[in-house]
Amino acid sequence: MNAATRFAAVCLCIAFLANPALATVDDAFSFALQAAEPYVKEGFTIREDYWGGDLAVKTQKAVIHQLFKGNEYWFWMGTDVEKATISVHVYDSDGNLAENDHWQKPHFAAAHVKPKTTGSYYLIVEVEKSDQVRTHWALAYGFR
Amino acid sequence: MRSPAILSLLLSAGVCLGDQPPRHIDIGEGRLPATLIEDVVVPLPGEVFTALDKLGSPNWHDVLRPTAPQMERRPQIALELGAVIAEGFIAVEAKDAEQVKKIGRDVLTLANALNVRKAVIERTKSITDAADQKDWAKVRDELDKASHDVSQAMSEMQSQTLSQLVSLGGWLRGTEALTTVVGRNYSRDGAELLHQPGLLDYFQKRLGAMDRHTRGDELVAMIQKRLPEIRPLIEKPGEIPAAAVDQIHSITAELVKAVNSREM
């Protein structure tokens, strides 16, 4: 490794460690896992992989996700911003609301779905209210 | 419908039901009311097997296959690693502790060849321990974590391509296993589990975006050529006939054989 490459690698490491955005998505993920915790006792398997990012108030992101008929799913969204109101909802590939239930509370939101068909579903996440310009969020899911 | 008792319980727990979401959204191209995230979380083979188990009791021992890592080229090793992890989920379904432990060792061997041994060494130990205790839920969990850790380690090494090939290898073996079970005892509900257009689109897109060197790999090129043949066969949920299941089985079996072959 030459000096220039070494310097670039050190800068990259510093940028990575100092990037608060990465830390806060991790924090948001911790909240999502906290929301998921009671469901593990009910037999839900929580996936290691998750989605995350940051959003301005009243903006949404969509995720396309494969669901299997016969399984039951919970999607748990978390944020580290206490005063934020966040939401997650599930739509089928025709754009119809597919969830069986949903809830919201400080730091958390969740949606429950028992898919009527196997296929692609749209998960819509939103920051409805927040005292931050950008609100970090993470979305985890579990199935049984 | 929520009962008043549940509603009052939720409210007392500080749970807010919030504004009711729209009953319908426009998901047509360019009309989605949200920015689409390109990242796709590929379902675990265990996820589709869980759904399949509810339709009957497949003989998973008949589906389980011995693993023998070939370790030829990096793209092949990545695909093999995914396929071996998928085999781990089949071994869990078959409740075969010895095979699970062998798979744990194979995961470590393949991860070593891809320079991500460190990321999975603890996981493979946990897989072995859980298999000894016949704690199948724990084995499933550790296989998921191993897959996640490999992917994360590869991303940190700027090897997203290899990470995607691991996912693809897992999907191919998982789909081959699914078509084996459904093909032997056909049902519309079982066949419907193959309706995975979003995942197929994702894999095709990712293969198309890989660097020329990787796409030039004979095995990767073969997968890129054969994968689009599956898409029209799984188009409509609930309308996937037995013949289509057999066809998908032939394609995925051929690809998995190539993944596990020294000749490719």
Side-chain angles (χ1 to χ4, degrees), chain A residues 60-75:
Chain A
Q60 302 176 328
K61 289 263 185 192
V63 170
I64 300 178
H65 188 56
Q66 172 74 36
L67 299 182
F68 297 100
K69 181 182 167 184
N71 282 351
E72 190 182 342
Y73 297 85
W74 268 103
F75 293 90

Side-chain angles (χ1 to χ4, degrees), chain A residues 7-81:
Chain A
F7 178 71
V10 169
C11 287
L12 196 67
C13 285
I14 291 168
F16 184 81
L17 292 171
N19 189 343
L22 289 173
T24 18
V25 170
D26 283 351
D27 292 344
F29 181 53
S30 299
F31 278 102
L33 289 181
Q34 200 179 314
E37 218 173 80
Y39 298 87
V40 177
K41 289 171 196 151
E42 292 179 21
F44 280 87
T45 300
I46 301 171
R47 287 295 311 275
E48 279 297 304
D49 291 333
Y50 64 95
W51 303 268
D54 59 71
L55 275 169
V57 176
K58 294 282 175 201
T59 58
Q60 302 176 328
K61 289 263 185 192
V63 170
I64 300 178
H65 188 56
Q66 172 74 36
L67 299 182
F68 297 100
K69 181 182 167 184
N71 282 351
E72 190 182 342
Y73 297 85
W74 268 103
F75 293 90
W76 303 283
M77 186 179 176
T79 179
D80 56 318
V81 180

Side-chain angles (χ1 to χ4, degrees), chain A residues 49 60 91 93 95 101 104 118, chain B residues 2 16 22 25 27 33 148 192:
Chain A
D49 291 333
Q60 302 176 328
Y91 291 85
S93 56
D101 209 350
Q104 290 168 281
T118 292
Chain B
R2 288 182 196 96
C16 168
I25 57 167
I27 51 131
H148 174 80
E192 193 184 314

Side-chain angles (χ1 to χ4, degrees), chain A residues 47-49 60-62 66 69-71 73 91 93-97 101-104 117-118 141 144, chain B residues 2 15-18 22-25 27 33 35 37 39 42 47 51 54 144-145 148 189 192 195-196 198:
Chain A
R47 287 295 311 275
E48 279 297 304
D49 291 333
Q60 302 176 328
K61 289 263 185 192
Q66 172 74 36
K69 181 182 167 184
N71 282 351
Y73 297 85
Y91 291 85
S93 56
D94 293 321
N96 298 315
L97 189 68
D101 209 350
H102 73 272
W103 56 257
Q104 290 168 281
T117 55
T118 292
Y141 84 97
R144 71 172 180 187
Chain B
R2 288 182 196 96
V15 174
C16 168
L17 301 174
R23 306 291 307 166
H24 182 87
I25 57 167
I27 51 131
T35 319
I37 293 180
D39 284 346
V42 178
E47 206 168 317
K54 288 169 190 158
D144 183 15
K145 284 179 173 148
H148 174 80
D189 281 345
E192 193 184 314
H195 178 65
Q196 303 174 22

